Amino acid sequence: MKTAQSIPQNLLVLAKRLNPYASFPNKPGAGTIISSYFIGDISQGDIYFLATAKSHDDRLYLIHHIVADPLIDAVPNILLQSSYLFMTWDKTGKILEWAAGQPK
């Protein structure tokens, strides 16, 4: 299992550049997503979903998940089409659960 600390350094630098006000959490939490993106690491062959979450304590956290190949076709469409995303994460910032809201 990879943690925030084991995400390749080049991707961490890029993620921090996309949202310099977000930090990695040091405790489990939950919140709404204000921005998200997929970043690939060609050298490792991994694709990461990174998101900036606004927690209930009004802080911005950078959370992540390694995307598995079977989900690459379905998940991005759901995430990009949803007007509301809510996620929970562990103390390393790894996404544990998520819910998407879409208008009918």
Side-chain angles (χ1 to χ4, degrees), residues 43-103:
S43 65
Q44 299 288 326
D46 291 327
I47 298 173
Y48 294 84
F49 172 74
L50 294 154
T52 301
K54 185 172 184 180
S55 179
H56 298 298
D57 63 4
D58 277 341
R59 296 192 61 196
L60 298 177
Y61 293 110
L62 187 61
I63 59 176
H64 68 282
H65 188 74
I66 298 175
V67 179
D69 288 337
L71 297 177
I72 290 176
D73 292 332
V75 172
N77 227 5
I78 294 169
L79 295 173
L80 295 174
Q81 301 280 333
S82 299
S83 56
Y84 175 81
L85 293 170
F86 180 85
M87 297 187 179
T88 62
W89 57 87
D90 68 9
K91 66 181 182 178
T92 66
K94 182 176 184 275
I95 296 168
L96 300 174
E97 296 179 311
W98 59 276
Q102 298 176 341

Side-chain angles (χ1 to χ4, degrees), residues 3-4 10 12 19-21 23 25 30 34 36-37 40-41 46-48 52-53 57 68 75 85 87 92 100 104:
T3 64
N10 60 331
L12 285 175
N19 195 335
Y21 303 107
S23 61
I34 60 171
S36 63
Y37 32 90
D41 181 14
D46 291 327
I47 298 173
Y48 294 84
T52 301
D57 63 4
V75 172
L85 293 170
M87 297 187 179
T92 66
K104 291 255 175 193

Side-chain angles (χ1 to χ4, degrees), residues 2-30:
K2 294 186 180 183
T3 64
Q5 292 76 21
S6 65
I7 294 174
Q9 188 63 33
N10 60 331
L11 299 184
L12 285 175
V13 169
L14 181 57
K16 288 299 289 178
R17 202 176 302 144
L18 291 169
N19 195 335
Y21 303 107
S23 61
F24 279 105
N26 58 5
K27 61 183 179 181

